[in-house]
Each structure stands twice: as C-alpha cells, then as structure tokens.
Amino acid sequence: MTAQFSAEVDQNEYLPEGGRVVDAIITVTARGDDLRAAAAPSAAEVIMVDVSGSMGMPAKKIAEAKKATSIAIDTLRDGVAFAVVAGTTAAHMVYPPDARMFPASAQTKAEAKAAVARLRADGGTAMGRWLDLANYLFAGVQAEVKHAILLTDGQNQHESPQDFQRVLNACEGRFVCDSRGVGDDWVARELRLIASTLLGTADGLEDPAELPAAFQTMTEGAMGKSVADVSLRVWTPAGATIRFVKQVYPQVEDLTGRRAEVSGRIGDYPTGAWGAESRDYHVSVEVEPDVVGEEMLAARVSLVSGGQLLTEKLVLARWTDDTALSTKINPQVAHYTGQAELAAVIQEGLKARDTGDVETATAKLGRAVQLAAASGHEGTAKLLARVVDVVDAPTGTIRLKKQVAGVDAEITNVRSVKTVRVKKQEG
C-alpha cells in the first residue's frame, strides 16, 4: 500500500486540578498524489433504482433516473464488477438478468445501458428488499471496495420498520451505500438511516435533472477510493473511559456504538474506504485525574487498514493550577461541538414540528438558526429559512412558517448532518 496518510491533533491538553475530560479533534488527510500512485483496489458497484409507479409521475423522474444510471455505468473502471437492480415491492435484476455481477467492459456496459433504457415505472416501495439483493450480489464477488447507490422517490411503505432494520443490520460492514431521494415524497429519516448504517452519504434532489450529475459524482467517488476498510483505532490508558468517538467533518456520524474490541484498552471504529480526502474526528476520553504538574497520555489515535498502521497521533493531558491555561477553549473542539448540536436540534425541531409541538419546534429550530449563524454555516442557514422566518439570527429568534412544502423540511433534515470547517487559529 503506497498511500500516505497524515494526521493533526487540535486540543487544549491542560486540565484543572481534578479535571477528567479530554477532548481532541483529529484531522486525517489522505494525499491525492500518493493515492494516484497506488494501484487501484478491486471494486464492485450495485445501482438500485426505484421504479415504483410514482417514478412515472412526472415521467421526467424515471427518464432522468435511467439517464443517471447509464452515466454511472459509463463511469465504472473496466473490470469493476457491477449490477443494476430495479426496486419496487420486490427487487428485480436489470443487469445481468440473473442474480450475479459482471465485470465492466465496453460490451457489458452497452448491454446494461440497453437494459436500463427498457425500465418502466410500476409498483410500490420496499427498500430493504433492494438492499437485501445488493448484499447477496456483493457476497458473490471478491472486491476490496464495495459501493452501492440507492435512489428512491417515495417512502418505504411496503415493509415494516423492523424488517427494514433487520436488513440494514445484515448489510452493515459489508458495503457502503449512498442514498438519494428525488421528487417530494421521500423521507429524510429513512435515507439518513441507510447512509448512517452503511457509512455512506444521504441527500435529496428536488429536480430530477440533477440526477445524472449526482450519480456521476457518487460513482467517481467510489472509483477514486484507494484504501479499503480503514478503521480509527483508539488506545486509552488503564482506568480511562471513551465518552464518544464521532466523525464531525464532512458530516456528523456517531461511531461510538460501532467499536470493535481489539483488546480491553484498544478499540477500532469503522471509517470505510478512503480516496484523496480529509476528515475530522472528535475523540472524548474521561481519565483518572493526576496531580498538578503531571502529564499523561490520554489516548493514542491511529488509522489502520488490513493490519497496517497508516498514521498515528497522541492525545495528551496535563494538570495545571493556571486557570488561564485550563480554561482556554480550543476553537476546533468548540466549533465541532456546536456543529453536532446543530444537527441534533434541527432533527429534534423538525420532529416536534411534525407532531404539532410548536413550542419545542420553535425553541429547537431557533437554537439551530443561532448555531448556524455563529459557526458561519451559510448552507444550513439557507436550509432553515425554508421552514422558519428568521427574526434575529444571533439570538435565535424565529417564527415557524405556516406553509412549508414537504420537500423543504425533508431536505433540511437530510442535510442537517453536513458540517463546515473553520480556519484554524494560531496560538
């Protein structure tokens, strides 16, 4: 493996006497030049396209979905195993005609695009069955990077939430899936659940004409992955407790519950495959306090893949009686703590709004407006303006809009986990 990873730590390592909590932001970067020099790992791709009856209303949705699927097929590297699945209340093979995957070539791509062109919209929606077939297809191939795209325009109406969750649990760790909604009847919570469980991304598209570019971007991203199955490994000293491990950029994803024990003091947290990119993680550890003047290693954070160490950084703790040192707030920690809260209050506020709890919705979404303004998250501020009238952003004073298009609330919800970075302060 020739890819080179680097990491930086942002933290205030000084704790007051008796202080226990150590917070650090770990920025991990995989360099583009090094990754391009590396041999591309073997890959497999499954494209799941909703062909329920609503995809034909208007006809532009199914037409753009077919165009987008063909563009994604063209984007595949030669030799990449691939398949296309049509989704209704069941999952149907589009290409190949039977339940297996074919290597991409000029011939198989042309055959697949011809099969996609014949798709028609008719039926209902049961996304768990689509994912179940994708899981079966991926199990039949040897590939380092396994990636799927799931497109829907509706709600998961034709299977129980329990069945849906059961399939997601079975798929977890087996492949990555990016989920996309199109039109105005999809549910953000369902798309985020797919993306969160399967370490992908979720988004909604109002205009079907956006689909081809979106599919191309997702497929190019998958084809650009150069290191598969990377884990964030965290070592802590005896007596320490991991409070949480979260990805905080480019989107919030709580990894705490996904810990795989390496030993009593070492745990691995999955991060999926990597290309040329940079991500930030928030690691929070509770340690046994030491006396003033002492220093300890609070955590050793590394990235590993296939047993190989990719990069490693140390998180320190020093106890001091100098309040100027111990009360200094690290701007990166503060920023991402706010970004995680921003995602949470948007989701809580929209849920309260849906249930008619105006008081809670106003308080939560008002706090979201305040946090978005304070962190310079202009994208989220614009999204929130779809569902609230902002009276005063710095104080979070808002009014809920009386009339809100359903898609506006869902797009605000599905994009709530996206975060922004701030310029690092010196000193």
Side-chain angles (χ1 to χ4, degrees):
M1 186 184 299
T2 60
Q4 295 296 313
F5 284 71
S6 62
E8 299 176 35
V9 175
D10 281 287
Q11 68 163 131
N12 178 12
E13 59 196 51
Y14 291 99
L15 300 179
E17 185 175 5
R20 292 174 172 271
V21 176
V22 183
D23 287 288
I25 301 299
I26 317 296
T27 297
V28 181
T29 303
R31 299 295 176 188
D33 290 344
D34 298 311
L35 291 171
R36 282 192 294 270
S42 57
E45 182 80 26
V46 175
I47 304 168
M48 292 167 276
V49 183
D50 188 340
V51 294
S52 59
S54 58
M55 282 292 288
M57 299 179 290
K60 183 180 181 181
K61 280 193 288 188
I62 190 66
E64 293 293 340
K66 291 192 287 187
K67 184 187 300 182
T69 303
S70 292
I71 288 175
I73 292 168
D74 280 334
T75 307
L76 298 173
R77 293 193 311 267
D78 283 351
V80 169
F82 79 105
V84 180
V85 171
T88 58
T89 52
H92 310 278
M93 292 298 300
V94 178
Y95 187 84
D98 50 0
R100 54 178 173 155
M101 303 179 78
F102 278 179
S105 66
Q107 179 179 340
T108 58
K109 288 180 181 181
E111 292 171 351
K113 289 188 291 182
V116 168
R118 295 190 291 270
L119 288 174
R120 297 292 181 267
D122 183 27
T125 304
M127 289 182 274
R129 294 167 196 171
W130 316 349
L131 290 163
D132 194 35
L133 178 54
N135 195 24
Y136 175 82
L137 293 169
F138 281 126
V141 297
Q142 296 293 323
E144 297 170 85
V145 175
K146 296 181 178 181
H147 177 259
I149 294 171
L150 184 148
L151 172 69
T152 185
D153 78 327
Q155 304 176 33
N156 199 39
Q157 295 177 319
H158 295 96
E159 65 183 343
S160 70
Q162 294 78 14
D163 285 343
F164 185 38
Q165 187 62 61
R166 176 186 55 77
V167 173
L168 284 172
N169 292 343
C171 294
E172 184 175 0
R174 297 179 180 273
F175 61 95
V176 171
C177 185
D178 292 325
S179 59
R180 294 294 183 268
V182 66
D184 56 12
D185 198 36
W186 49 272
V187 177
R189 175 180 47 80
E190 292 174 350
L191 297 188
R192 285 195 295 102
L193 180 60
I194 293 169
S196 176
T197 305
L198 304 182
L199 296 176
T201 62
D203 204 357
L205 309 172
E206 295 172 87
D207 188 344
E210 300 175 69
L211 283 173
F215 270 47
Q216 182 172 9
T217 297
M218 288 185 284
T219 311
E220 285 177 343
M223 294 300 97
K225 299 301 183 186
S226 297
V227 184
D229 294 327
V230 178
S231 293
L232 190 76
R233 176 167 291 180
V234 182
W235 170 94
T236 50
T241 302
I242 297 285
R243 297 179 66 235
F244 58 79
V245 175
K246 297 178 181 178
Q247 177 182 286
V248 289
Y249 179 84
Q251 62 192 37
V252 177
E253 186 61 57
D254 193 342
L255 303 175
T256 312
R258 301 189 182 194
R259 177 185 174 100
E261 292 287 336
V262 177
S263 69
R265 291 161 58 182
I266 301 174
D268 282 356
Y269 301 85
T271 70
W274 283 66
E277 59 190 293
S278 182
R279 307 181 198 174
D280 294 345
Y281 297 90
H282 186 171
V283 176
S284 185
V285 181
E286 183 174 337
V287 298
E288 291 293 331
D290 210 331
V291 298
V292 169
E294 288 300 307
E295 171 186 316
M296 73 176 294
L297 179 60
R300 181 184 296 113
V301 182
S302 55
L303 256 73
V304 296
S305 178
Q308 182 175 347
L309 177 68
L310 303 176
T311 188
E312 182 177 86
K313 282 293 180 180
L314 306 181
V315 177
L316 303 177
R318 306 173 192 267
W319 283 267
T320 180
D321 54 8
D322 185 340
T323 56
L325 292 176
S326 63
T327 59
K328 185 178 180 181
I329 299 175
N330 179 272
Q332 299 299 311
V333 172
H335 172 74
Y336 283 125
T337 299
Q339 294 277 283
E341 183 188 355
L342 175 59
V345 293
I346 288 174
Q347 292 161 27
E348 292 164 3
L350 290 173
K351 183 177 180 180
R353 172 185 166 276
D354 289 343
T355 60
D357 186 348
V358 174
E359 183 178 352
T360 299
T362 301
K364 295 290 186 181
L365 294 175
R367 176 59 175 159
V369 166
Q370 186 180 37
L371 287 166
S375 64
H377 201 324
E378 296 178 2
T380 295
K382 290 178 181 177
L383 288 171
L384 287 164
R386 293 173 176 236
V387 295
V388 303
D389 291 317
V390 179
V391 178
D392 183 63
T395 62
T397 305
I398 62 149
R399 289 188 297 268
L400 299 182
K401 287 184 182 290
K402 293 183 178 179
Q403 297 293 329
V404 177
V407 71
D408 285 339
E410 297 305 321
I411 285 181
T412 303
N413 189 330
V414 80
R415 295 180 182 173
S416 63
V417 295
K418 294 185 178 181
T419 55
V420 294
R421 276 177 166 158
V422 290
K423 186 177 180 180
K424 293 185 179 181
Q425 301 177 13
E426 300 295 333

